[in-house]
Amino acid sequence: MILGVLSLFTLELFVNSNKQSSIKLNNFDERMSYIASLGYNAQEEKESAVFIPNEVPEVFEDYNRKQQESGFNLLNFKGKTLKRYTYSCSDNVTVTLFLYENILVGREIKN
């Protein structure tokens, strides 16, 4: 029974990690609400652009493995420019959101 539940959980993680995010964050208020849903209080927003090259260096592949653990895959956006929103939050936490066409495609939380 426990093995069956564990197998189902592992399968669900695998399936979810291969799905494209459908979280749409169209504006500042929606991004702030999303960060609040993660349990953080964002204090300022910085916007920049990030280009994902068609051929990525190994260091980016390592970074992307961490993204995949959270259910995202930035390699799906090779040749594309993403918007990167970085937020300073309370408790010295930094939250970074990566969006493509206003859809959340990556996320990083640093303490």
Side-chain angles (χ1 to χ4, degrees), residues 65-99:
R65 278 190 272 286
K66 292 178 183 176
Q67 289 289 320
Q68 289 173 318
E69 291 171 5
S70 297
F72 300 105
N73 187 353
L74 296 176
L75 294 179
N76 291 336
F77 299 92
K78 287 182 178 179
K80 309 275 188 222
T81 299
L82 308 179
K83 287 185 181 178
R84 174 176 51 199
Y85 295 95
T86 304
Y87 304 87
S88 296
C89 300
S90 53
D91 299 328
N92 293 321
V93 172
T94 301
V95 175
T96 302
L97 305 178
F98 297 96
L99 277 66

Side-chain angles (χ1 to χ4, degrees), residues 2-46:
I2 292 174
L3 184 59
V5 171
L6 184 58
S7 296
L8 183 59
F9 179 71
T10 303
L11 177 61
E12 183 178 340
L13 284 176
F14 175 77
V15 170
N16 286 338
S17 70
N18 290 309
K19 285 184 181 178
Q20 181 60 44
S21 170
S22 61
I23 299 172
K24 196 149 177 102
L25 302 172
N26 292 309
N27 55 48
F28 175 80
D29 290 335
E30 290 179 3
R31 292 188 297 274
M32 295 300 274
S33 292
Y34 175 76
I35 291 170
S37 77
L38 299 174
Y40 300 103
N41 182 23
Q43 299 168 356
E44 64 179 78
E45 175 183 80
K46 294 179 185 174

